[in-house]
């Protein structure tokens, strides 16, 4: 199989599995227990927290372990709104966020908050001037993702934070699920107050992530129970998952330069090959300010879902829009936000490479894909409007 869907999930790194193994077997203690077995689990979590904090350049107490990106996004939006609703009831986000943010924003609207969704330009970028105009005295939170999962565009977070700081004391959250491990992230540089990430997008295990919360940020716990995570997120810690997450970020940091060069080379071969060999193909997202592993396209007159099936029959795993909405024939909200018509938006394909991909994988895709697109254009009824 040629796996080109690393924005959906990634294979577990063998080094990560090895680090996790003791905590899936003999080191099974509950980190809250007083005896040695429990205390060794506690030490493993403490070490993992230090590693994750070092990765982002924050203090260990600013890292809250979660069950992944979805929980981190929910926690950031709902936790900030519910704790700071007395200061104001206005939240700003963008039209291209992950569903975890968009659905959380809708839940806040049902509870009487007002939500502004900033538009993006044709390349998927949020304009800091538009944010400046949307900020109000009662804005308590701005949530704009670091990099987009469907089109790979990296947002100018530093500028967006700068504009926010000038005009208000709203908190700034960023969903860094796609960018973590792919591009350098120093939270001090970005200037954000909250950042969510997920281990399985960077060769870690599924079902674990973290929310970084800068000290002084007031956040209402969502998961109630014991006093875990300094009373901010109850529940017996996923020790093996947390250890795996820390190992995954440590490896990402150690290997980032070499990996980035490899990913960019494969990505650029893919983009150049597709655009040269397939007529009426267009790159979506920003041509330069995009994730190093991410290539996304629109093919006029083709339905992305049909293309996925053809690719699958040839052993190529890819995605059309986000995995969460695949299976339904609604065009992606992200592609629509770029300003494309509905029919056009249905022809989207995302190919996201990983460190395990080779030039031979790219050759294979460039061999198959042009014929598939040509065949589907003849077969499917989508008009080439
Ligand atoms: C995958 C993803 C999420 C969700 O993370 P999970 O750990 O799978 O819940 C959130 N945001 C973005 C941008 C993602 O790509």
């Amino acid at each position: 199989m040629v796996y080109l869907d690393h924005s959906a999930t990634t294979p577990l790194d063998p080094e990560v599995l090895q680090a996790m193994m003791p905590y899936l077997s003999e080191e099974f203690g509950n980190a809250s227990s007083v005896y040695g077995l429990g205390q060794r689990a506690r030490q493993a979590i403490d070490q993992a927290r230090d590693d994750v904090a070092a990765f982002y350049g924050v203090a260990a107490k600013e890292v809250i372990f979660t069950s992944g990106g979805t929980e981190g996004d929910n926690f950031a939006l709902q936790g900030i709104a519910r704790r700071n609703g007395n200061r104001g009831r206005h939240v700003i986000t963008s039209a291209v966020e992950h569903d975890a943010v968009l659905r959380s924003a809708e839940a806040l609207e049902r509870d009487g908050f007002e939500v502004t969704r900033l538009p993006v330009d044709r390349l998927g970028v949020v304009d800091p001037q538009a944010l400046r105009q949307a900020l109000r005295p009662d804005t308590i939170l701005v949530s704009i993702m670091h990099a987009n999962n469907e089109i790979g565009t990296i947002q100018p977070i530093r500028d967006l934070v700068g504009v926010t700081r000038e005009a208000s004391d709203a908190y700034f959250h960023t969903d860094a699920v796609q960018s973590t491990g792919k591009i350098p992230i120093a939270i001090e540089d970005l200037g954000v107050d909250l950042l969510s990430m997920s281990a399985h997008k960077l060769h870690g295990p599924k079902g674990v992530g973290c929310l970084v919360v800068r000290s002084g940020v007031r956040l209402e716990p969502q998961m109630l129970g014991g006093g875990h995570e300094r009373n901010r997120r109850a529940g017996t810690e996923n020790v093996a998952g947390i250890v795996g997450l820390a190992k995954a970020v440590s490896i990402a940091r150690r290997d980032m330069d070499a990996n980035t060069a490899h990913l960019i080379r494969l990505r650029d071969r893919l983009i150049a090959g597709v655009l040269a060999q397939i007529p009426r193909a267009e790159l979506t997202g920003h041509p330069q300010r995009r994730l190093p592993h991410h290539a996304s396209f629109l093919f006029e007159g083709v339905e992305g879902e049909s293309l996925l099936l053809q690719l699958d029959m040839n052993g190529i795993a890819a995605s059309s829009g986000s995995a969460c909405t695949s299976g339904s024939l609604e065009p992606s909200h992200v592609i629509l936000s770029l300003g494309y018509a509905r029919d056009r938006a249905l022809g989207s394909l995302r190919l996201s490479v990983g460190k395990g991909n080779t030039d031979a994988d790219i050759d294979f895709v460039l061999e198959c894909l042009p014929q598939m697109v040509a065949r589907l254009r003849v077969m499917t009824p989508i008009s080439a409007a």
Side-chain angles (χ1 to χ4, degrees):
M1 184 184 67
V2 175
Y3 186 78
L4 290 175
D5 203 13
H6 292 81
S7 280
T9 194
T10 55
L12 193 68
D13 189 306
E15 278 188 73
V16 172
L17 178 62
Q18 201 186 2
M20 293 170 69
M21 277 311 277
Y23 303 96
L24 293 166
S25 46
E26 69 271 17
E27 295 292 339
F28 61 86
N30 184 322
S32 301
S33 301
V34 296
Y35 39 80
L37 185 68
Q39 288 313 296
R40 289 198 297 279
R42 168 62 52 209
Q43 282 160 15
I45 293 171
D46 288 347
Q47 181 61 52
R49 201 184 306 278
D50 286 345
D51 293 346
V52 173
F55 178 81
Y56 287 115
V58 300
K61 66 180 196 315
E62 296 175 306
V63 173
I64 305 178
F65 290 117
T66 65
S67 64
T70 298
E71 185 189 333
D73 288 346
N74 274 263
F75 192 4
L77 270 81
Q78 318 242 15
I80 288 291
R82 309 227 182 279
R83 183 68 190 272
N84 298 276
N86 57 338
R87 286 204 290 128
R89 301 186 73 79
H90 181 231
V91 170
I92 300 174
T93 184
S94 86
V96 295
E97 299 298 311
H98 190 272
D99 280 338
V101 166
L102 292 180
R103 295 288 97 80
S104 294
E106 285 167 14
L108 293 179
E109 282 178 316
R110 287 193 291 274
D111 288 350
F113 287 86
E114 217 185 306
V115 176
T116 301
R117 294 167 184 81
L118 297 174
V120 293
D121 65 18
R122 192 74 163 185
L123 305 178
V125 181
V126 176
D127 178 6
Q129 293 316 314
L131 173 57
R132 190 192 299 276
Q133 280 163 22
L135 283 160
R136 309 191 320 210
D138 63 339
T139 309
I140 52 171
L141 175 68
V142 178
S143 179
I144 298 175
M145 70 202 315
H146 193 197
N148 188 273
N149 44 309
E150 292 189 39
I151 55 172
T153 297
I154 299 168
Q155 298 294 346
I157 295 296
R158 225 178 343 172
D159 297 343
L160 294 165
V161 171
V163 159
T164 304
R165 298 279 181 254
E166 277 169 28
S168 81
D169 44 35
Y171 291 129
F172 199 109
H173 164 252
T174 194
D175 173 333
V177 174
Q178 287 290 330
S179 54
T180 291
K182 298 299 191 306
I183 56 178
I185 300 179
I187 290 198
E188 203 60 53
D189 268 10
L190 284 183
V192 300
D193 300 296
L194 304 107
L195 176 149
S196 39
M197 63 81 77
S198 178
H200 77 96
K201 302 283 173 85
L202 68 150
H203 303 280
K206 293 172 182 61
V208 64
C210 82
L211 180 66
V212 176
V213 182
R214 298 314 305 268
S215 67
V217 172
R218 289 144 45 91
L219 189 73
E220 187 71 20
Q222 301 299 291
M223 201 70 92
L224 308 177
H228 311 87
E229 301 295 302
R230 302 165 69 92
N231 290 314
R232 292 171 301 180
R233 199 272 187 184
T236 300
E237 298 88 342
N238 173 3
V239 184
I242 289 167
V243 167
L245 159 54
K247 190 70 183 176
V249 297
S250 302
I251 293 170
R253 183 155 79 154
R254 182 191 72 196
D255 298 344
M256 189 170 295
D257 290 347
N259 282 345
T260 304
H262 178 67
L263 296 176
I264 287 180
R265 205 174 56 76
L266 295 183
R267 177 200 68 183
D268 289 351
R269 276 200 60 206
L270 204 46
I271 292 175
V274 165
L275 296 181
Q277 293 178 41
I278 303 181
R280 288 175 290 134
E282 194 177 332
L283 181 74
T284 55
H286 202 288
Q288 287 92 36
R289 289 209 311 256
R290 70 183 298 126
L291 291 165
H293 72 297
H294 196 289
S296 53
F297 306 95
L298 282 183
F299 300 114
E300 198 179 291
V302 172
E303 193 186 83
E305 294 292 312
S306 310
L307 194 51
L308 289 190
L309 295 177
Q310 296 284 313
L311 287 163
D312 183 35
M313 284 194 285
N314 284 267
I316 299 168
S319 162
S320 132
S322 84
C324 319
T325 46
S326 286
S328 77
L329 272 186
E330 277 310 296
S332 132
H333 68 278
V334 175
I335 310 291
L336 290 177
S337 299
L338 303 178
Y340 293 98
R342 194 178 177 282
D343 276 3
R344 195 74 207 284
L346 284 174
S348 72
L349 178 71
R350 177 181 76 186
L351 300 169
S352 44
V353 298
K355 59 186 177 181
N357 285 125
T358 62
D359 279 296
D361 294 339
I362 307 303
D363 293 339
F364 184 57
V365 173
L366 292 177
E367 205 179 290
C368 302
L369 193 58
Q371 301 162 30
M372 287 177 196
V373 171
R375 229 178 8 245
L376 285 169
R377 277 176 172 157
V378 174
M379 282 163 45
T380 54
I382 286 192
S383 68

